[in-house]
């Protein structure tokens, strides 16, 4: 299962469609707090998250997950890339840091790298 966190419904929907087309299950969330409130049977295989969100930024979500001992690959997307945020999330273990809108091939590559090269297609 791949989780998608983005406050933009259109982005969530298009990413979810792409990820489902690869054969993965998807859960979508409109905010970091929504994701944190969800009771998982098990952790997602990968998280795709926006960086700039009103309730909680993507890097704040990453820090909260790490503080709780929850570690899984995270792919970050942002319409406002900065070197400082890029460094911070990658230094904290993020898999990829991509500018919006990312192309489908790049998202697919990042997902496959995050899952250790395991591809369902």
């Amino acid at each position: 299962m791949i989780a998608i966190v983005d406050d933009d419904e259109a982005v969530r929907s298009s990413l979810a469609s792409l990820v489902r087309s690869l054969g993965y299950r998807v859960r979508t969330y409109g905010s970091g707090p929504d994701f944190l409130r969800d009771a998982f049977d098990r952790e997602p295989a990968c998280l795709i998250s926006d960086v700039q969100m009103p309730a909680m930024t993507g890097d704040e979500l990453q820090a909260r997950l790490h503080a709780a001992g929850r570690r899984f690959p995270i792919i970050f997307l942002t319409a406002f890339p900065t070197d400082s945020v890029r460094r911070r999330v990658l230094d904290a273990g993020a898999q990829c840091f991509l500018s919006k809108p990312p192309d489908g091939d790049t998202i697919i590559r990042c997902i496959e790298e995050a899952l250790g090269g395991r591809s369902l297609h």
Side-chain angles (χ1 to χ4, degrees), residues 56-88:
M56 175 187 294
T57 66
D59 49 326
E60 290 170 339
L61 174 59
Q62 181 186 40
R64 290 283 261 323
L65 291 168
H66 286 181
R70 298 175 68 186
R71 298 206 182 252
F72 39 81
I74 301 175
I75 297 167
F76 283 105
L77 305 174
T78 185
F80 308 100
T82 66
D83 287 337
S84 63
V85 173
R86 175 188 298 276
R87 264 193 312 277
R88 186 167 54 247

Side-chain angles (χ1 to χ4, degrees), residues 11-28:
V11 171
R12 283 194 314 271
S13 178
S14 65
L15 282 172
S17 292
L18 173 65
V19 171
R20 281 189 192 102
S21 77
L22 300 172
Y24 298 105
R25 290 182 308 119
V26 177
R27 286 191 184 177
T28 62

